[in-house]
Amino acid sequence: VICDTSISKSGNWRDVCIAGAIAYKESDPVKDSSNSAHIFAKITMAGGANDASKRVTVGGVVGISAQPCNNITNNGQVEVWGTHHKLYVGGVIGDMNYSANKNVGGYHLNARVVVRGSTTVAHNAYIGGVAAYAKGVMTDLTVGEKGGVSIGDSKSAATFSKPAFIGGCIGYAENTANSFLSSATNRGAVNVSGNATDVYYIGGIAGQALMPINTADNYGTVTVANLVEGGKRYIAGICPYLYGGGSNLTNHESADINVTILNGSNTYI
């Protein structure tokens, strides 16, 4: 799946959605679905990017879902770069926008989620091994050893001007009535080489979770480097900002946290 396009900065549009199987799901559940294709998504905002109402969403299998999803697997690498207003990148689902209190689960990632160096995001960025953004009930999430998240590289960092939420499983977990995240396992490395002038939230399981997390295991290393001075960084093996409480959370011995800190950077580990 290849998308290489330039989009007008001021055009009459709101969302660009790219996925291995289903870009947008509004009615009927998604179940027993998979993708094995490599997804390349290069999006350039002509004239720059500064409109928070306009976003790009990329999902390994499903882009945006307003319906429950069950037993969804992605085996294809998801690779994104370019200039963006707001960015959502998920290895399995870009935006899980289903908040009803029903069982929604069975997500499996066996490939990398990559945001290339030189990528710039003017507003919030949500990046996760399973889902970039999620609400409602999320259960049975697994990221294998071949999975994980890579942001930038040793030669070129990605740049985020507003908060960036990065997790081995979930970038940002929103709180809704009776929502929770449970049975999440990450075995893939989370590697971030980026410049954030605002704030980073980087976790082996979730970047930020406003819902409870019950039973989560992280085996993957978390490595953060090449930071610019200024801004704040919150980094943890499980979740650096967990508002909803949690239980049975384990950052295993193999899950080292490696951080390169520049003078002037406010970093909390």
Side-chain angles (χ1 to χ4, degrees):
V1 179
I2 300 174
C3 178
D4 184 349
T5 188
S6 178
I7 301 173
S8 171
K9 172 183 176 181
S10 58
N12 186 23
W13 66 278
R14 188 172 67 92
D15 292 310
V16 173
C17 193
I18 303 161
I22 302 169
Y24 181 80
K25 187 63 173 175
E26 184 174 9
S27 61
D28 301 321
V30 180
K31 62 180 181 179
D32 303 328
S33 301
S34 65
N35 171 65
S36 295
H38 192 147
I39 298 173
F40 297 90
K42 179 184 179 183
I43 308 293
T44 302
M45 300 300 170
N50 61 5
D51 188 342
S53 69
K54 298 179 178 181
R55 75 181 200 179
V56 170
T57 303
V58 182
V61 182
V62 180
I64 300 174
S65 181
Q67 292 296 319
C69 297
N70 293 279
N71 192 25
I72 312 296
T73 300
N74 182 36
N75 299 310
Q77 181 165 300
V78 178
E79 193 165 353
V80 177
W81 69 103
T83 58
H84 302 272
H85 297 281
K86 185 182 289 186
L87 181 64
Y88 295 68
V89 184
V92 180
I93 300 175
D95 181 357
M96 185 63 219
N97 195 21
Y98 180 74
S99 59
N101 184 24
K102 294 183 179 180
N103 184 34
V104 183
Y107 307 106
H108 313 290
L109 177 69
N110 300 306
R112 299 292 291 175
V113 174
V114 178
V115 176
R116 287 190 187 180
S118 75
T119 296
T120 61
V121 184
H123 291 276
N124 290 13
Y126 306 90
I127 303 163
V130 169
Y133 180 100
K135 60 182 179 181
V137 175
M138 299 287 291
T139 66
D140 186 19
L141 295 77
T142 61
V143 175
E145 292 181 359
K146 294 182 179 180
V149 176
S150 295
I151 313 288
D153 54 46
S154 60
K155 296 181 180 180
S156 180
T159 299
F160 303 95
S161 298
K162 295 295 183 180
F165 306 89
I166 301 165
C169 289
I170 303 289
Y172 184 93
E174 181 64 86
N175 183 42
T176 57
N178 301 311
S179 62
F180 62 87
L181 171 63
S182 71
S183 300
T185 301
N186 175 44
R187 297 182 182 275
V190 176
N191 300 322
V192 179
S193 178
N195 301 324
T197 55
D198 194 295
V199 60
Y200 264 141
Y201 298 92
I202 304 170
I205 296 296
Q208 186 173 122
L210 304 185
M211 64 173 70
I213 300 179
N214 302 314
T215 309
D217 293 271
N218 180 47
Y219 297 86
T221 59
V222 177
T223 301
V224 183
N226 201 30
L227 305 177
V228 297
E229 295 186 8
K232 294 181 179 180
R233 286 90 186 162
Y234 299 88
I235 304 164
I238 298 294
C239 180
Y241 189 100
L242 176 56
Y243 184 79
S247 61
N248 299 318
L249 310 179
T250 306
N251 192 55
H252 292 266
E253 186 176 355
S254 61
D256 293 337
I257 299 175
N258 308 297
V259 181
T260 300
I261 301 174
L262 297 181
N263 292 333
S265 297
N266 297 312
T267 302
Y268 307 89
I269 304 172

PDB file of all heavy atoms in Angstrom, residues 69-73 92 103-109 130 137-143 169 180-185 214-215:
ATOM      1  N   CYS A  69     -14.052  -4.058  17.245  1.00  0.00           N
ATOM      2  CA  CYS A  69     -13.121  -4.835  16.428  1.00  0.00           C
ATOM      3  C   CYS A  69     -12.621  -6.017  17.255  1.00  0.00           C
ATOM      4  O   CYS A  69     -12.259  -5.854  18.423  1.00  0.00           O
ATOM      5  CB  CYS A  69     -11.935  -3.987  15.986  1.00  0.00           C
ATOM      6  SG  CYS A  69     -12.371  -2.594  14.925  1.00  0.00           S
ATOM      7  N   ASN A  70     -12.582  -7.199  16.645  1.00  0.00           N
ATOM      8  CA  ASN A  70     -12.154  -8.398  17.349  1.00  0.00           C
ATOM      9  C   ASN A  70     -11.288  -9.264  16.443  1.00  0.00           C
ATOM     10  O   ASN A  70     -11.608  -9.485  15.267  1.00  0.00           O
ATOM     11  CB  ASN A  70     -13.366  -9.215  17.812  1.00  0.00           C
ATOM     12  CG  ASN A  70     -14.181  -8.503  18.873  1.00  0.00           C
ATOM     13  OD1 ASN A  70     -13.847  -8.521  20.048  1.00  0.00           O
ATOM     14  ND2 ASN A  70     -15.249  -7.848  18.443  1.00  0.00           N
ATOM     15  N   ASN A  71     -10.182  -9.743  17.021  1.00  0.00           N
ATOM     16  CA  ASN A  71      -9.270 -10.648  16.334  1.00  0.00           C
ATOM     17  C   ASN A  71      -8.719 -10.011  15.055  1.00  0.00           C
ATOM     18  O   ASN A  71      -8.994 -10.443  13.935  1.00  0.00           O
ATOM     19  CB  ASN A  71      -9.951 -11.975  16.003  1.00  0.00           C
ATOM     20  CG  ASN A  71      -8.941 -13.022  15.561  1.00  0.00           C
ATOM     21  OD1 ASN A  71      -7.765 -12.965  15.917  1.00  0.00           O
ATOM     22  ND2 ASN A  71      -9.389 -13.993  14.772  1.00  0.00           N
ATOM     23  N   ILE A  72      -7.907  -8.968  15.244  1.00  0.00           N
ATOM     24  CA  ILE A  72      -7.332  -8.211  14.143  1.00  0.00           C
ATOM     25  C   ILE A  72      -5.809  -8.330  14.229  1.00  0.00           C
ATOM     26  O   ILE A  72      -5.219  -8.056  15.279  1.00  0.00           O
ATOM     27  CB  ILE A  72      -7.739  -6.729  14.209  1.00  0.00           C
ATOM     28  CG1 ILE A  72      -9.252  -6.592  14.425  1.00  0.00           C
ATOM     29  CG2 ILE A  72      -7.289  -5.995  12.961  1.00  0.00           C
ATOM     30  CD1 ILE A  72     -10.092  -7.118  13.316  1.00  0.00           C
ATOM     31  N   THR A  73      -5.153  -8.698  13.125  1.00  0.00           N
ATOM     32  CA  THR A  73      -3.707  -8.931  13.122  1.00  0.00           C
ATOM     33  C   THR A  73      -3.039  -8.171  11.986  1.00  0.00           C
ATOM     34  O   THR A  73      -3.532  -8.180  10.847  1.00  0.00           O
ATOM     35  CB  THR A  73      -3.394 -10.428  12.960  1.00  0.00           C
ATOM     36  OG1 THR A  73      -3.979 -11.156  14.040  1.00  0.00           O
ATOM     37  CG2 THR A  73      -1.892 -10.675  12.949  1.00  0.00           C
ATOM     38  N   VAL A  92      -2.084  -1.550  14.239  1.00  0.00           N
ATOM     39  CA  VAL A  92      -3.271  -2.335  13.891  1.00  0.00           C
ATOM     40  C   VAL A  92      -4.442  -1.408  13.553  1.00  0.00           C
ATOM     41  O   VAL A  92      -5.071  -1.542  12.511  1.00  0.00           O
ATOM     42  CB  VAL A  92      -3.653  -3.293  15.040  1.00  0.00           C
ATOM     43  CG1 VAL A  92      -4.895  -4.106  14.674  1.00  0.00           C
ATOM     44  CG2 VAL A  92      -2.486  -4.238  15.348  1.00  0.00           C
ATOM     45  N   ASN A 103     -16.985  -5.970  24.806  1.00  0.00           N
ATOM     46  CA  ASN A 103     -15.673  -6.578  24.635  1.00  0.00           C
ATOM     47  C   ASN A 103     -15.107  -6.232  23.261  1.00  0.00           C
ATOM     48  O   ASN A 103     -15.686  -6.548  22.233  1.00  0.00           O
ATOM     49  CB  ASN A 103     -15.763  -8.093  24.785  1.00  0.00           C
ATOM     50  CG  ASN A 103     -14.400  -8.745  24.698  1.00  0.00           C
ATOM     51  OD1 ASN A 103     -13.418  -8.162  25.134  1.00  0.00           O
ATOM     52  ND2 ASN A 103     -14.342  -9.931  24.144  1.00  0.00           N
ATOM     53  N   VAL A 104     -14.001  -5.542  23.248  1.00  0.00           N
ATOM     54  CA  VAL A 104     -13.331  -5.155  22.021  1.00  0.00           C
ATOM     55  C   VAL A 104     -11.877  -5.583  22.173  1.00  0.00           C
ATOM     56  O   VAL A 104     -11.143  -5.013  22.966  1.00  0.00           O
ATOM     57  CB  VAL A 104     -13.421  -3.626  21.789  1.00  0.00           C
ATOM     58  CG1 VAL A 104     -12.771  -3.257  20.471  1.00  0.00           C
ATOM     59  CG2 VAL A 104     -14.871  -3.180  21.805  1.00  0.00           C
ATOM     60  N   GLY A 105     -11.470  -6.617  21.460  1.00  0.00           N
ATOM     61  CA  GLY A 105     -10.109  -7.072  21.685  1.00  0.00           C
ATOM     62  C   GLY A 105      -9.612  -8.098  20.705  1.00  0.00           C
ATOM     63  O   GLY A 105     -10.284  -8.473  19.749  1.00  0.00           O
ATOM     64  N   GLY A 106      -8.392  -8.554  20.987  1.00  0.00           N
ATOM     65  CA  GLY A 106      -7.725  -9.489  20.114  1.00  0.00           C
ATOM     66  C   GLY A 106      -6.970  -8.769  19.019  1.00  0.00           C
ATOM     67  O   GLY A 106      -7.269  -8.904  17.835  1.00  0.00           O
ATOM     68  N   TYR A 107      -5.966  -7.938  19.430  1.00  0.00           N
ATOM     69  CA  TYR A 107      -5.179  -7.159  18.485  1.00  0.00           C
ATOM     70  C   TYR A 107      -3.746  -7.664  18.525  1.00  0.00           C
ATOM     71  O   TYR A 107      -3.145  -7.759  19.602  1.00  0.00           O
ATOM     72  CB  TYR A 107      -5.193  -5.673  18.844  1.00  0.00           C
ATOM     73  CG  TYR A 107      -6.570  -5.090  19.018  1.00  0.00           C
ATOM     74  CD1 TYR A 107      -7.056  -4.783  20.282  1.00  0.00           C
ATOM     75  CD2 TYR A 107      -7.375  -4.836  17.918  1.00  0.00           C
ATOM     76  CE1 TYR A 107      -8.319  -4.243  20.450  1.00  0.00           C
ATOM     77  CE2 TYR A 107      -8.643  -4.293  18.075  1.00  0.00           C
ATOM     78  CZ  TYR A 107      -9.103  -3.993  19.338  1.00  0.00           C
ATOM     79  OH  TYR A 107     -10.355  -3.455  19.505  1.00  0.00           O
ATOM     80  N   HIS A 108      -3.167  -7.906  17.359  1.00  0.00           N
ATOM     81  CA  HIS A 108      -1.836  -8.506  17.311  1.00  0.00           C
ATOM     82  C   HIS A 108      -0.980  -7.805  16.262  1.00  0.00           C
ATOM     83  O   HIS A 108      -1.387  -7.673  15.102  1.00  0.00           O
ATOM     84  CB  HIS A 108      -1.949  -9.995  17.002  1.00  0.00           C
ATOM     85  CG  HIS A 108      -2.984 -10.695  17.833  1.00  0.00           C
ATOM     86  ND1 HIS A 108      -2.821 -10.918  19.187  1.00  0.00           N
ATOM     87  CD2 HIS A 108      -4.219 -11.175  17.522  1.00  0.00           C
ATOM     88  CE1 HIS A 108      -3.895 -11.523  19.667  1.00  0.00           C
ATOM     89  NE2 HIS A 108      -4.755 -11.692  18.681  1.00  0.00           N
ATOM     90  N   LEU A 109       0.214  -7.375  16.675  1.00  0.00           N
ATOM     91  CA  LEU A 109       1.157  -6.712  15.769  1.00  0.00           C
ATOM     92  C   LEU A 109       2.445  -7.511  15.702  1.00  0.00           C
ATOM     93  O   LEU A 109       3.064  -7.797  16.723  1.00  0.00           O
ATOM     94  CB  LEU A 109       1.459  -5.294  16.246  1.00  0.00           C
ATOM     95  CG  LEU A 109       2.506  -4.542  15.404  1.00  0.00           C
ATOM     96  CD1 LEU A 109       1.956  -4.211  14.018  1.00  0.00           C
ATOM     97  CD2 LEU A 109       2.957  -3.269  16.115  1.00  0.00           C
ATOM     98  N   VAL A 130      -0.253  -0.975  18.691  1.00  0.00           N
ATOM     99  CA  VAL A 130      -1.573  -1.514  18.350  1.00  0.00           C
ATOM    100  C   VAL A 130      -2.482  -0.395  17.856  1.00  0.00           C
ATOM    101  O   VAL A 130      -3.041  -0.473  16.766  1.00  0.00           O
ATOM    102  CB  VAL A 130      -2.204  -2.235  19.548  1.00  0.00           C
ATOM    103  CG1 VAL A 130      -3.667  -2.560  19.278  1.00  0.00           C
ATOM    104  CG2 VAL A 130      -1.437  -3.519  19.856  1.00  0.00           C
ATOM    105  N   VAL A 137     -13.412  -0.202  25.800  1.00  0.00           N
ATOM    106  CA  VAL A 137     -12.785  -1.395  26.364  1.00  0.00           C
ATOM    107  C   VAL A 137     -11.785  -1.954  25.357  1.00  0.00           C
ATOM    108  O   VAL A 137     -12.126  -2.227  24.213  1.00  0.00           O
ATOM    109  CB  VAL A 137     -13.847  -2.465  26.700  1.00  0.00           C
ATOM    110  CG1 VAL A 137     -13.178  -3.747  27.175  1.00  0.00           C
ATOM    111  CG2 VAL A 137     -14.806  -1.934  27.758  1.00  0.00           C
ATOM    112  N   MET A 138     -10.538  -2.140  25.800  1.00  0.00           N
ATOM    113  CA  MET A 138      -9.482  -2.693  24.946  1.00  0.00           C
ATOM    114  C   MET A 138      -8.869  -3.882  25.674  1.00  0.00           C
ATOM    115  O   MET A 138      -8.291  -3.724  26.757  1.00  0.00           O
ATOM    116  CB  MET A 138      -8.405  -1.650  24.665  1.00  0.00           C
ATOM    117  CG  MET A 138      -8.888  -0.409  23.931  1.00  0.00           C
ATOM    118  SD  MET A 138      -9.252  -0.714  22.191  1.00  0.00           S
ATOM    119  CE  MET A 138      -7.621  -0.997  21.525  1.00  0.00           C
ATOM    120  N   THR A 139      -8.989  -5.097  25.103  1.00  0.00           N
ATOM    121  CA  THR A 139      -8.467  -6.295  25.756  1.00  0.00           C
ATOM    122  C   THR A 139      -7.652  -7.129  24.784  1.00  0.00           C
ATOM    123  O   THR A 139      -7.854  -7.073  23.575  1.00  0.00           O
ATOM    124  CB  THR A 139      -9.612  -7.163  26.321  1.00  0.00           C
ATOM    125  OG1 THR A 139     -10.398  -7.668  25.228  1.00  0.00           O
ATOM    126  CG2 THR A 139     -10.498  -6.368  27.259  1.00  0.00           C
ATOM    127  N   ASP A 140      -6.733  -7.919  25.345  1.00  0.00           N
ATOM    128  CA  ASP A 140      -5.934  -8.875  24.586  1.00  0.00           C
ATOM    129  C   ASP A 140      -5.153  -8.194  23.464  1.00  0.00           C
ATOM    130  O   ASP A 140      -5.414  -8.391  22.280  1.00  0.00           O
ATOM    131  CB  ASP A 140      -6.824  -9.986  24.019  1.00  0.00           C
ATOM    132  CG  ASP A 140      -6.012 -11.083  23.332  1.00  0.00           C
ATOM    133  OD1 ASP A 140      -4.796 -11.173  23.595  1.00  0.00           O
ATOM    134  OD2 ASP A 140      -6.600 -11.831  22.522  1.00  0.00           O
ATOM    135  N   LEU A 141      -4.161  -7.396  23.869  1.00  0.00           N
ATOM    136  CA  LEU A 141      -3.284  -6.713  22.928  1.00  0.00           C
ATOM    137  C   LEU A 141      -1.896  -7.355  23.006  1.00  0.00           C
ATOM    138  O   LEU A 141      -1.329  -7.481  24.097  1.00  0.00           O
ATOM    139  CB  LEU A 141      -3.162  -5.232  23.261  1.00  0.00           C
ATOM    140  CG  LEU A 141      -4.401  -4.336  23.164  1.00  0.00           C
ATOM    141  CD1 LEU A 141      -5.334  -4.527  24.336  1.00  0.00           C
ATOM    142  CD2 LEU A 141      -3.980  -2.881  23.085  1.00  0.00           C
ATOM    143  N   THR A 142      -1.338  -7.755  21.873  1.00  0.00           N
ATOM    144  CA  THR A 142       0.006  -8.327  21.873  1.00  0.00           C
ATOM    145  C   THR A 142       0.832  -7.713  20.759  1.00  0.00           C
ATOM    146  O   THR A 142       0.389  -7.609  19.614  1.00  0.00           O
ATOM    147  CB  THR A 142      -0.030  -9.858  21.676  1.00  0.00           C
ATOM    148  OG1 THR A 142      -0.637 -10.180  20.425  1.00  0.00           O
ATOM    149  CG2 THR A 142      -0.792 -10.528  22.807  1.00  0.00           C
ATOM    150  N   VAL A 143       2.030  -7.314  21.124  1.00  0.00           N
ATOM    151  CA  VAL A 143       3.033  -6.851  20.164  1.00  0.00           C
ATOM    152  C   VAL A 143       4.211  -7.805  20.258  1.00  0.00           C
ATOM    153  O   VAL A 143       4.821  -7.949  21.317  1.00  0.00           O
ATOM    154  CB  VAL A 143       3.474  -5.407  20.458  1.00  0.00           C
ATOM    155  CG1 VAL A 143       4.600  -4.985  19.515  1.00  0.00           C
ATOM    156  CG2 VAL A 143       2.284  -4.459  20.335  1.00  0.00           C
ATOM    157  N   CYS A 169       2.027  -0.324  22.898  1.00  0.00           N
ATOM    158  CA  CYS A 169       0.697  -0.839  22.515  1.00  0.00           C
ATOM    159  C   CYS A 169      -0.259   0.283  22.130  1.00  0.00           C
ATOM    160  O   CYS A 169      -0.863   0.240  21.063  1.00  0.00           O
ATOM    161  CB  CYS A 169       0.094  -1.658  23.655  1.00  0.00           C
ATOM    162  SG  CYS A 169       0.885  -3.262  23.949  1.00  0.00           S
ATOM    163  N   PHE A 180     -11.582   0.412  30.086  1.00  0.00           N
ATOM    164  CA  PHE A 180     -10.358  -0.111  30.687  1.00  0.00           C
ATOM    165  C   PHE A 180      -9.512  -0.781  29.612  1.00  0.00           C
ATOM    166  O   PHE A 180      -9.998  -1.151  28.535  1.00  0.00           O
ATOM    167  CB  PHE A 180     -10.657  -1.093  31.824  1.00  0.00           C
ATOM    168  CG  PHE A 180     -11.420  -2.328  31.391  1.00  0.00           C
ATOM    169  CD1 PHE A 180     -10.760  -3.453  30.906  1.00  0.00           C
ATOM    170  CD2 PHE A 180     -12.809  -2.367  31.494  1.00  0.00           C
ATOM    171  CE1 PHE A 180     -11.464  -4.584  30.522  1.00  0.00           C
ATOM    172  CE2 PHE A 180     -13.520  -3.494  31.100  1.00  0.00           C
ATOM    173  CZ  PHE A 180     -12.844  -4.607  30.621  1.00  0.00           C
ATOM    174  N   LEU A 181      -8.241  -0.928  29.921  1.00  0.00           N
ATOM    175  CA  LEU A 181      -7.276  -1.620  29.070  1.00  0.00           C
ATOM    176  C   LEU A 181      -6.766  -2.816  29.852  1.00  0.00           C
ATOM    177  O   LEU A 181      -6.322  -2.671  30.994  1.00  0.00           O
ATOM    178  CB  LEU A 181      -6.124  -0.680  28.718  1.00  0.00           C
ATOM    179  CG  LEU A 181      -4.891  -1.251  28.019  1.00  0.00           C
ATOM    180  CD1 LEU A 181      -5.256  -1.805  26.657  1.00  0.00           C
ATOM    181  CD2 LEU A 181      -3.817  -0.173  27.875  1.00  0.00           C
ATOM    182  N   SER A 182      -6.836  -4.016  29.271  1.00  0.00           N
ATOM    183  CA  SER A 182      -6.410  -5.200  30.016  1.00  0.00           C
ATOM    184  C   SER A 182      -5.714  -6.201  29.105  1.00  0.00           C
ATOM    185  O   SER A 182      -5.930  -6.219  27.888  1.00  0.00           O
ATOM    186  CB  SER A 182      -7.602  -5.863  30.710  1.00  0.00           C
ATOM    187  OG  SER A 182      -8.457  -6.479  29.770  1.00  0.00           O
ATOM    188  N   SER A 183      -4.883  -7.040  29.732  1.00  0.00           N
ATOM    189  CA  SER A 183      -4.162  -8.114  29.035  1.00  0.00           C
ATOM    190  C   SER A 183      -3.382  -7.562  27.850  1.00  0.00           C
ATOM    191  O   SER A 183      -3.581  -7.958  26.695  1.00  0.00           O
ATOM    192  CB  SER A 183      -5.130  -9.209  28.574  1.00  0.00           C
ATOM    193  OG  SER A 183      -5.792  -9.768  29.684  1.00  0.00           O
ATOM    194  N   ALA A 184      -2.459  -6.634  28.151  1.00  0.00           N
ATOM    195  CA  ALA A 184      -1.619  -6.028  27.122  1.00  0.00           C
ATOM    196  C   ALA A 184      -0.180  -6.499  27.307  1.00  0.00           C
ATOM    197  O   ALA A 184       0.366  -6.418  28.406  1.00  0.00           O
ATOM    198  CB  ALA A 184      -1.685  -4.511  27.203  1.00  0.00           C
ATOM    199  N   THR A 185       0.417  -6.991  26.233  1.00  0.00           N
ATOM    200  CA  THR A 185       1.800  -7.473  26.277  1.00  0.00           C
ATOM    201  C   THR A 185       2.589  -6.873  25.132  1.00  0.00           C
ATOM    202  O   THR A 185       2.173  -6.959  23.966  1.00  0.00           O
ATOM    203  CB  THR A 185       1.856  -9.007  26.166  1.00  0.00           C
ATOM    204  OG1 THR A 185       1.123  -9.586  27.241  1.00  0.00           O
ATOM    205  CG2 THR A 185       3.294  -9.493  26.217  1.00  0.00           C
ATOM    206  N   ASN A 214      -5.278  -2.967  33.563  1.00  0.00           N
ATOM    207  CA  ASN A 214      -5.292  -4.162  34.402  1.00  0.00           C
ATOM    208  C   ASN A 214      -4.588  -5.313  33.683  1.00  0.00           C
ATOM    209  O   ASN A 214      -5.050  -5.765  32.633  1.00  0.00           O
ATOM    210  CB  ASN A 214      -6.742  -4.559  34.717  1.00  0.00           C
ATOM    211  CG  ASN A 214      -7.505  -3.443  35.402  1.00  0.00           C
ATOM    212  OD1 ASN A 214      -7.002  -2.817  36.327  1.00  0.00           O
ATOM    213  ND2 ASN A 214      -8.707  -3.176  34.926  1.00  0.00           N
ATOM    214  N   THR A 215      -3.461  -5.718  34.228  1.00  0.00           N
ATOM    215  CA  THR A 215      -2.620  -6.785  33.688  1.00  0.00           C
ATOM    216  C   THR A 215      -1.944  -6.338  32.400  1.00  0.00           C
ATOM    217  O   THR A 215      -2.532  -6.375  31.303  1.00  0.00           O
ATOM    218  CB  THR A 215      -3.410  -8.089  33.427  1.00  0.00           C
ATOM    219  OG1 THR A 215      -4.140  -8.441  34.599  1.00  0.00           O
ATOM    220  CG2 THR A 215      -2.450  -9.225  33.086  1.00  0.00           C
TER     221      THR A 215
END
